[in-house]
Amino acid sequence: VRKNTSSLPTRILLDVDAEHLTECCEHAMRSFYGENLVSDDHKEACEDALIAAVEAGPSYHSHHVAMVNARYNGIEQDCSVLLRLSKPIEMVGEDQGDGIWFVWILLSPFKTHPKVSTVAEFVHLAAEADRRAAFLRAKTTDELRAAYVEALHADTHFESHVSDELRPSGRLFGGFINDIKRRLPTTGRTTKTASTRSRSRRSCFCSSPVWRPRSRSVACSRSKRTAR
């Protein structure tokens, strides 16, 4: 079971019009700048860092999701945003046929490579058509978050795959006791069947003819006749 180590960014933009990842970065910068995450002195440098990351190629690109991450020491905290596009961006190497629907952008003063794993869970969920369709149908950010949480819960808990024998009982030796209760009906039927078969074998043995040796007198008379 995978641990829930990832979550959606606090900033989500829906139905963004963009034809290239560079335009996605511009939308992201407007969001960061509007929330005072990036000051005027560092705005241009942050934009240059994201554009350079786009030109180098997205750090993650799979299953209709692309991630652009850049490191810039002029900011004090991570700045991330998830963009859901109004129409997909066609990219080289996108073999799913629908292009990029989601762009995850991260700007951080720290190393960004370890943070790439936070996108992996979303990419994994978006790989399935039904879950991706739920992400695309969401009309608000709350609906998108709810769809993500529901998909993540179903994917990590495996409720439909856990048998009764593996479900925790919450009691001391509860699993052992439940297992005995489950086996009692079958054990009773098995014991009864075995007992019936044993009695049947004994009755068959008793009713069958038994070989008995001949009497001693008959055996002696026959020996005398042979001697004569």
Side-chain angles (χ1 to χ4, degrees):
V1 178
R2 292 186 309 277
K3 296 180 180 179
N4 180 10
T5 57
S6 64
S7 60
L8 296 182
T10 56
R11 285 164 291 278
I12 299 178
L13 304 180
L14 302 180
D15 302 328
V16 176
D17 294 326
E19 297 181 357
H20 193 270
L21 291 179
T22 302
E23 298 180 17
C24 294
C25 293
E26 293 175 357
H27 285 282
M29 282 303 305
R30 282 196 288 269
S31 175
F32 300 155
Y33 187 72
E35 297 184 22
N36 297 322
L37 298 176
V38 178
S39 63
D40 295 336
D41 297 336
H42 300 284
K43 181 180 179 181
E44 185 175 354
C46 290
E47 291 178 351
D48 293 340
L50 288 177
I51 292 175
V54 170
E55 293 177 351
S59 57
Y60 206 103
H61 170 212
S62 179
H63 299 302
H64 314 283
V65 181
M67 179 183 184
V68 177
N69 59 309
R71 182 180 181 182
Y72 180 69
N73 296 326
I75 57 178
E76 298 179 356
Q77 59 181 323
D78 291 341
C79 301
S80 61
V81 61
L82 176 64
L83 280 66
R84 190 187 70 183
L85 307 179
S86 59
K87 59 181 180 180
I89 297 176
E90 298 295 336
M91 296 186 64
V92 177
E94 182 64 29
D95 55 356
Q96 281 78 22
D98 292 336
I100 297 297
W101 279 103
F102 301 92
V103 181
W104 195 309
I105 298 177
L106 170 64
L107 183 65
S108 174
F110 313 106
K111 292 182 178 180
T112 58
H113 182 70
K115 302 179 186 301
V116 175
S117 60
T118 62
V119 191
E121 195 69 59
F122 182 77
V123 173
H124 170 76
L125 298 176
E128 297 189 14
D130 294 340
R131 293 171 176 174
R132 184 171 64 256
F135 298 161
L136 293 173
R137 283 196 307 267
K139 297 181 179 180
T140 63
T141 58
D142 291 338
E143 290 183 6
L144 179 56
R145 293 182 187 280
Y148 171 79
V149 171
E150 181 180 357
L152 184 61
H153 182 274
D155 195 67
T156 55
H157 284 73
F158 303 104
E159 293 291 342
S160 59
H161 302 289
V162 178
S163 60
D164 294 336
E165 291 83 357
L166 299 178
R167 294 183 185 275
S169 63
R171 296 173 293 138
L172 183 63
F173 301 114
F176 179 72
I177 296 173
N178 293 338
D179 188 58
I180 293 178
K181 291 180 179 179
R182 282 191 297 270
R183 294 175 181 271
L184 276 178
T186 305
T187 304
R189 289 195 300 268
T190 305
T191 305
K192 184 177 180 181
T193 303
S195 178
T196 304
R197 290 177 179 175
S198 178
R199 289 197 301 269
S200 177
R201 286 196 295 269
R202 287 199 300 270
S203 62
C204 292
F205 177 77
C206 294
S207 60
S208 62
V210 180
W211 178 84
R212 295 183 177 85
R214 295 178 181 274
S215 62
R216 185 175 182 182
S217 60
V218 175
C220 291
S221 61
R222 285 189 176 182
S223 63
K224 289 179 181 180
R225 291 176 187 175
T226 303
R228 292 177 183 177

